[in-house]
Amino acid sequence: MGALSPGQLVTQLSEALAPRGFDIISPLALSWYNDSLPGTLSSNRIRPAGRAGSAAFAVLVGSSAVLWRPFLQYCAANGEWAALPHPLEAYVECAVSAVLASLPQPPARVVWSHSQTDCLASEAPGYVAMQRAAVAAGTAWLDPCSHLLVHPRHGPWLSLRCLLLFDDLAWAEAQPPPLPCPLAPGVQQAVRARFEAALHATSRGSIPQRDQVQRVWEMWVATREALSPGDTRVARAWRLRGTLRHCTAGMGHMSAPQSSTDGLAAS
């Protein structure tokens, strides 16, 4: 197969990743992300590399609730995965890497949202501000109170998994305008109250015991609930209780779910 254009790569990635549970595929130029960061996050900028420089083609990969079915099916077919420390993150890397290996032009760099990278401007290991990339690509709106994204279709029920960097290809499309705030008046205050309560319960110094894990997790879900009042899709999160219990079996503690605190350090 010959070389593909950036647009063709987006189509191929979308078709190959969707059955694996990754239904959010957003193209952008590297400069969109770097230029969106304020001075306080300058160290989170990504160093350009390759022929395209700062115009490099990038693809943000994310998932909504549809990820859970293929993930759980994979775990059921590979029993040893349930014993891994982070089975979901392992699945994300395995599934995405399998698709990338099939591309005629794999990305030069892959940045995982759950791992530090050494491709930042600071030259020290750190995280990419994935939420800022989503905002720059016109994928979602970032709530300043909870540091959570709100997607036009999926609401707050999404997670960003990785950023693919095709350093030798340029993305020449115009940058879309930022999405407007979708929240009704008064909703942001409710979001802030629930977020602060969940954060306090998670980081107050005493590690939640096993019988408290469910309660703390429900507080984080309630924060997302506040971002989508009356949205029936909220019920999807509650169906994941069994998954949470399974993944935390044998654990005496739990920190705030990553999907709930994404961006606190880099947003």
Side-chain angles (χ1 to χ4, degrees), residues 2-12 57 104-105 166 169-171:
L4 300 179
S5 68
Q8 291 172 320
L9 283 169
V10 170
T11 299
Q12 188 164 330
F57 168 50
Q105 300 151 262
F166 297 83
L169 294 176
W171 183 248

Short mmCIF file of all heavy atoms in Angstrom, two decimals, residues 2-12 57 104-105 166 169-171:
data_model
loop_
_atom_site.label_atom_id
_atom_site.label_comp_id
_atom_site.label_asym_id
_atom_site.label_seq_id
_atom_site.Cartn_x
_atom_site.Cartn_y
_atom_site.Cartn_z
N GLY A 2 0.53 2.22 -0.84
CA GLY A 2 1.31 3.45 -0.93
C GLY A 2 1.07 4.36 0.25
O GLY A 2 0.29 4.06 1.16
N ALA A 3 1.78 5.48 0.21
CA ALA A 3 1.65 6.45 1.29
C ALA A 3 0.24 7.03 1.32
O ALA A 3 -0.38 7.26 0.29
CB ALA A 3 2.67 7.56 1.11
N LEU A 4 -0.26 7.26 2.52
CA LEU A 4 -1.59 7.82 2.70
C LEU A 4 -1.49 9.29 3.09
O LEU A 4 -0.53 9.71 3.74
CB LEU A 4 -2.35 7.06 3.79
CG LEU A 4 -2.57 5.56 3.58
CD1 LEU A 4 -3.31 4.97 4.77
CD2 LEU A 4 -3.34 5.30 2.30
N SER A 5 -2.49 10.05 2.71
CA SER A 5 -2.56 11.44 3.13
C SER A 5 -3.03 11.49 4.58
O SER A 5 -3.59 10.50 5.10
CB SER A 5 -3.55 12.21 2.25
OG SER A 5 -4.87 11.75 2.50
N PRO A 6 -2.85 12.60 5.28
CA PRO A 6 -3.36 12.71 6.65
C PRO A 6 -4.86 12.42 6.74
O PRO A 6 -5.31 11.73 7.67
CB PRO A 6 -3.04 14.15 7.03
CG PRO A 6 -1.81 14.47 6.25
CD PRO A 6 -2.01 13.78 4.92
N GLY A 7 -5.62 12.91 5.77
CA GLY A 7 -7.05 12.64 5.80
C GLY A 7 -7.37 11.17 5.67
O GLY A 7 -8.28 10.64 6.34
N GLN A 8 -6.64 10.46 4.82
CA GLN A 8 -6.83 9.03 4.66
C GLN A 8 -6.43 8.27 5.93
O GLN A 8 -7.06 7.28 6.29
CB GLN A 8 -6.03 8.52 3.46
CG GLN A 8 -6.57 8.99 2.12
CD GLN A 8 -5.64 8.64 0.97
OE1 GLN A 8 -4.41 8.73 1.08
NE2 GLN A 8 -6.23 8.24 -0.16
N LEU A 9 -5.39 8.75 6.59
CA LEU A 9 -4.97 8.12 7.85
C LEU A 9 -6.04 8.27 8.92
O LEU A 9 -6.30 7.35 9.70
CB LEU A 9 -3.65 8.72 8.33
CG LEU A 9 -2.39 8.24 7.61
CD1 LEU A 9 -1.19 9.10 7.99
CD2 LEU A 9 -2.11 6.77 7.94
N VAL A 10 -6.69 9.44 8.96
CA VAL A 10 -7.77 9.65 9.92
C VAL A 10 -8.90 8.65 9.67
O VAL A 10 -9.43 8.02 10.60
CB VAL A 10 -8.31 11.09 9.84
CG1 VAL A 10 -9.58 11.24 10.67
CG2 VAL A 10 -7.26 12.08 10.32
N THR A 11 -9.26 8.46 8.40
CA THR A 11 -10.31 7.52 8.05
C THR A 11 -9.93 6.10 8.43
O THR A 11 -10.73 5.36 9.02
CB THR A 11 -10.61 7.59 6.53
OG1 THR A 11 -11.06 8.90 6.21
CG2 THR A 11 -11.69 6.58 6.16
N GLN A 12 -8.70 5.70 8.12
CA GLN A 12 -8.26 4.34 8.43
C GLN A 12 -8.19 4.11 9.93
O GLN A 12 -8.59 3.05 10.43
CB GLN A 12 -6.90 4.07 7.78
CG GLN A 12 -6.46 2.62 7.89
CD GLN A 12 -5.33 2.29 6.93
OE1 GLN A 12 -5.22 2.89 5.87
NE2 GLN A 12 -4.50 1.33 7.30
N PHE A 57 1.26 16.69 11.78
CA PHE A 57 -0.07 16.07 11.88
C PHE A 57 -0.13 15.23 13.15
O PHE A 57 0.75 14.43 13.43
CB PHE A 57 -0.28 15.21 10.62
CG PHE A 57 -1.45 14.28 10.67
CD1 PHE A 57 -2.72 14.72 11.03
CD2 PHE A 57 -1.29 12.94 10.31
CE1 PHE A 57 -3.80 13.84 11.03
CE2 PHE A 57 -2.36 12.06 10.31
CZ PHE A 57 -3.62 12.52 10.68
N PRO A 104 0.49 1.76 6.97
CA PRO A 104 1.67 1.89 6.10
C PRO A 104 2.61 2.99 6.58
O PRO A 104 3.79 2.98 6.27
CB PRO A 104 1.07 2.22 4.74
CG PRO A 104 -0.26 2.83 5.04
CD PRO A 104 -0.75 2.11 6.26
N GLN A 105 2.06 3.95 7.36
CA GLN A 105 2.86 5.03 7.91
C GLN A 105 2.53 5.18 9.39
O GLN A 105 1.69 5.99 9.77
CB GLN A 105 2.55 6.35 7.20
CG GLN A 105 2.82 6.35 5.70
CD GLN A 105 1.90 7.32 4.99
OE1 GLN A 105 0.87 6.93 4.44
NE2 GLN A 105 2.24 8.59 4.99
N PHE A 166 2.57 12.26 13.88
CA PHE A 166 3.15 11.93 12.58
C PHE A 166 4.08 13.09 12.19
O PHE A 166 3.69 14.03 11.50
CB PHE A 166 2.05 11.74 11.54
CG PHE A 166 1.13 10.58 11.84
CD1 PHE A 166 0.06 10.72 12.73
CD2 PHE A 166 1.32 9.34 11.23
CE1 PHE A 166 -0.79 9.66 13.00
CE2 PHE A 166 0.47 8.27 11.49
CZ PHE A 166 -0.59 8.43 12.39
N LEU A 169 4.55 14.42 8.50
CA LEU A 169 3.36 14.83 7.74
C LEU A 169 2.81 16.13 8.32
O LEU A 169 2.79 16.31 9.54
CB LEU A 169 2.28 13.75 7.79
CG LEU A 169 2.59 12.41 7.11
CD1 LEU A 169 1.44 11.43 7.36
CD2 LEU A 169 2.81 12.60 5.62
N ALA A 170 2.35 17.01 7.46
CA ALA A 170 1.78 18.28 7.93
C ALA A 170 0.26 18.23 7.85
O ALA A 170 -0.31 17.61 6.94
CB ALA A 170 2.31 19.43 7.08
N TRP A 171 -0.39 18.86 8.82
CA TRP A 171 -1.85 18.99 8.83
C TRP A 171 -2.17 20.42 8.42
O TRP A 171 -1.91 21.37 9.17
CB TRP A 171 -2.42 18.68 10.20
CG TRP A 171 -3.92 18.73 10.27
CD1 TRP A 171 -4.67 19.63 10.95
CD2 TRP A 171 -4.84 17.81 9.66
NE1 TRP A 171 -6.01 19.35 10.80
CE2 TRP A 171 -6.15 18.23 10.01
CE3 TRP A 171 -4.69 16.70 8.85
CZ2 TRP A 171 -7.29 17.57 9.57
CZ3 TRP A 171 -5.84 16.02 8.42
CH2 TRP A 171 -7.12 16.47 8.78
#
